Amino acid sequence: MANTIRSRTAPLPRPASSPPPPAAPAGARRAAAPAGPGTAPQPAVARPPAASRPALWRAGPRQVLGVIAAGALGVAALWLSNAPPVTSLGDALTAAANILGLLAGYGVVVLVALMARLPPLERGLGTSQLSRWHGMGGRYVLSVIAAHAVFVTWGYAVSAHVNVLSETASILTTQPDVLMATVGGALLLAVGIVSARAIRRRMSYETWYYLHLYAYLGIALAFAHQFAVGGTFAGSLSNRVFWSVLYGIVAGLVIWYRIITPARRLARHNFRVAGLRQEAPDIMSLYIAGEHLQELRAEPGQFFRWRFLSREHWWQSHPYSLSAVPQPDVLRITVKCRGDGTDALRRVRPGTRVVAEGPYGAFTPAPGRRGVVLIAGGVGITPLRAMFAALPDTVGDRPGGITLIYRASHPRDIVFRRELDGIAATRGVVVHYLTGSRRELGADPLAAASLTRLVPSLHRREAYICGPPGMVDTVIASLRTAGMPRRRIHHESFDF
Amino acid sequence: MRRAILALSSTIAGLVLLLSFKIHIPGSTDAGTTAASGSAAGTGAGSADMAGAGHAGHAGQARREARKARPPHGAATRTVTGTVADTTYGPMQVQLTLAGQSITRVKVLQRTDDGAESDQIDASAIPKLINETLAVQSARINAVSGASYTSAGYRRSLQSALDQAGA
């Protein structure tokens, strides 16, 4: 699918598919891109033939949920294979605690795997979907862990005919590794609490990110007690091996895709900042030069996590969408400077090495010949700018088959105006710039009525929306009102 | 909210379903505790000594034993002794009586000997461990609450005995 899109865009004239030259000092650009004359300013001439590449594997939501559910059934079978008969209330409570503990032990593995940056998941479900699932799953697993602790204590207390408090003390002090597991559980709970929406918003992304790493520690601390006290594992070598392999595989995936892959890509592609360009008062484009970039198989609409290796920036990594169709030797991102370290990006020097983690995201054009409407809010134009240039000609064949709507509160916030007009003119498609505040306009230009007026046969198209969360919600509601089915509405907002 | 309710109800349903596979109407539930009070009087070797036959009330357990063991009539009954497992509170050692491959009797030859508290803990824990061993017919047993060292030592000695028996 991706290949079709790529090959179709290849013959497009230069203004549409390749970014204009960066406004970097010539010396700096040379230093940044020693690879030869084919660096940033040159258009992509040699795109590899699409036919030679196998299709990328994309996991669908049903497949992923199916695998997770099958795993849960496996856990149930693991417990059944090895559980003693339940003959009293204490037994029943302890058995329930065992099951819940196994479920939690399995749940944390799933949660980590969802966030392991697995390419089929990233391409198929997309990072925002994965984050949502991870959030929901996280709340569930934390509840299961809490229930496990309650049931263990209660069950043991009933069996031993003592009160719950003294049983708690006895479990913590006498059962091997349980104290450690309790600390681990508390760490996981703390990570869950700082991720609650109200608290997360008050924290910088980095603080939250580094606190989240404690989840790994929590999981590791809780691992030992599963084998030491859990009846399912204590007496069964094969179950222990199975469980260890499960944990080992997921740990391996995390290490491979979150650490080794970015490091290998840094070495292979040699990413460097090639130049910067001011697009609007607070919006800036960065050109990242690299080698063999076609191997990344990045698609318009996708993003990378960028870590600029300068003294000021190395410790933080930010997700930015590609704002131009990726070229074999240069990528472009466009960033709104709004604090949180993004402001400091203005001071990144050309030549700075960059770790690029990606490509991620499922916000890419769906296959098909359906007309398309792209709706951007503010700096949300970036992935849509890349898509606008890359949508297959089959879509644009019909007059008005592609429409871009670009909403900004002030005309000076509009970026890429010249590029967008160029693409629109070349391809015979339409761009609408909607500027001005709602008060000035007298109505919300993104309301259903206004969109229907702007876009012919709106409800029959495929929609791609990118912008701040509030704007995305408004547009989704408008499109639904206009009669567009949910599955044809694709959206991305900046909240992960 | 709807999702939360769905998650909660399906978890509970799953739990109940799983437990229902293992639940048996308590007929001889108190065998363990009775044996515990009985054996509390004795100390040292041979304090807890129970036969599997006493637990036939557990339907599933009986089925399990039948399935696992399927002892041929007149199968040789043999006795294997596990190695001594040292724990922080003293040694644990078990002796098994097997008919064919099935464990029919567990005898504790040595048990922790770290004073009155040790005795008390073992007195209540060992019968449970033995019950579970006879039920599960392996060393795959849960630790008994408040008797983790006893349980661990018991399990080790039991495993070594089973290893010797080739069970």
Side-chain angles (χ1 to χ4, degrees), chain A residues 80 86-87 140 167 174 231, chain B residues 11 22 24 29 140 142 145 148:
Chain A
L80 278 177
V86 173
T87 55
Y140 177 71
E167 186 54 47
T174 65
Chain B
T11 308
K22 297 286 180 181
H24 309 287
T29 330
R140 297 170 194 181
N142 280 316
S145 161
S148 53

Side-chain angles (χ1 to χ4, degrees), chain A residues 331-398:
Chain A
L331 302 172
R332 184 178 75 174
I333 54 176
T334 302
V335 179
K336 182 165 179 152
C337 306
R338 52 175 171 186
D340 219 37
T342 44
D343 229 11
L345 278 180
R346 293 171 195 275
R347 295 194 292 277
V348 168
R349 296 232 183 83
T352 304
R353 288 173 72 95
V354 187
V355 180
E357 235 196 288
Y360 297 135
F363 188 62
T364 50
R369 303 169 61 92
R370 210 172 263 287
V372 163
V373 56
L374 308 169
I375 304 174
V379 77
I381 186 65
T382 47
L384 296 179
R385 153 67 185 83
M387 261 194 225
F388 192 46
L391 282 168
D393 290 342
T394 45
V395 171
D397 277 347
R398 281 171 289 159

Side-chain angles (χ1 to χ4, degrees), chain A residues 11 18 98 122 132 167 217 259 277 343 356 377 432:
Chain A
S18 76
N98 263 342
E122 293 289 340
R132 270 197 303 275
E167 186 54 47
L217 180 62
I259 299 174
R277 195 171 75 165
D343 229 11
H432 295 291

Side-chain angles (χ1 to χ4, degrees), chain A residues 287-352:
Chain A
Y287 291 83
I288 315 288
E291 298 154 21
H292 320 291
L293 299 183
Q294 69 280 6
E295 291 167 11
L296 293 170
R297 307 187 68 173
E299 295 167 64
Q302 287 195 303
F303 70 94
F304 286 76
R305 290 172 195 276
W306 305 91
R307 187 185 292 278
F308 296 91
L309 298 181
S310 68
R311 206 160 37 170
E312 209 177 348
H313 299 109
W314 65 269
W315 56 279
Q316 46 178 229
S317 133
H318 288 285
Y320 296 127
S321 297
L322 299 176
S323 64
V325 178
Q327 306 297 312
D329 54 0
V330 69
L331 302 172
R332 184 178 75 174
I333 54 176
T334 302
V335 179
K336 182 165 179 152
C337 306
R338 52 175 171 186
D340 219 37
T342 44
D343 229 11
L345 278 180
R346 293 171 195 275
R347 295 194 292 277
V348 168
R349 296 232 183 83
T352 304

Side-chain angles (χ1 to χ4, degrees), chain A residues 76 79-80 82-88 95-96 98-100 136 140 156 159 167 170 174-176 228-231 234-236, chain B residues 3 7 11 15 18-19 21-24 26 29 58 61 64 128 132 135-136 139-146 148-149 155:
Chain A
W79 180 79
L80 278 177
N82 213 344
V86 173
T87 55
S88 66
N98 263 342
I99 299 169
L100 289 167
M136 282 188 299
Y140 177 71
Y156 274 22
S159 300
E167 186 54 47
S170 138
T174 65
Q175 294 285 357
V229 273
S236 165
Chain B
R3 282 208 187 94
T11 308
L15 267 181
L18 279 178
L19 284 178
F21 283 110
K22 297 286 180 181
I23 285 183
H24 309 287
T29 330
H58 301 182
Q61 183 178 317
R64 185 189 272 271
K128 291 182 192 169
E132 210 173 320
V136 179
R140 297 170 194 181
I141 51 178
N142 280 316
V144 170
S145 161
S148 53
Y149 290 93
R155 212 149 52 193

Side-chain angles (χ1 to χ4, degrees), chain B residues 71-157:
Chain B
H73 284 292
T77 301
R78 56 208 167 110
T79 308
V80 276
T81 306
T83 54
V84 179
D86 281 315
T87 77
T88 314
Y89 299 107
M92 289 292 299
Q93 188 178 27
V94 301
Q95 187 178 58
L96 303 181
T97 307
L98 294 110
Q101 289 297 320
S102 88
I103 306 170
T104 53
R105 208 174 159 93
V106 182
K107 195 168 178 172
V108 173
L109 301 178
Q110 291 188 61
R111 51 184 242 187
T112 63
D113 50 6
D114 196 41
E117 201 187 340
S118 238
D119 282 346
Q120 205 183 337
I121 290 173
D122 286 358
S124 79
I126 287 173
K128 291 182 192 169
L129 293 167
I130 293 175
N131 268 339
E132 210 173 320
T133 310
L134 294 171
V136 179
Q137 289 287 320
S138 79
R140 297 170 194 181
I141 51 178
N142 280 316
V144 170
S145 161
S148 53
Y149 290 93
T150 299
S151 304
Y154 175 91
R155 212 149 52 193
R156 261 183 291 152
S157 185

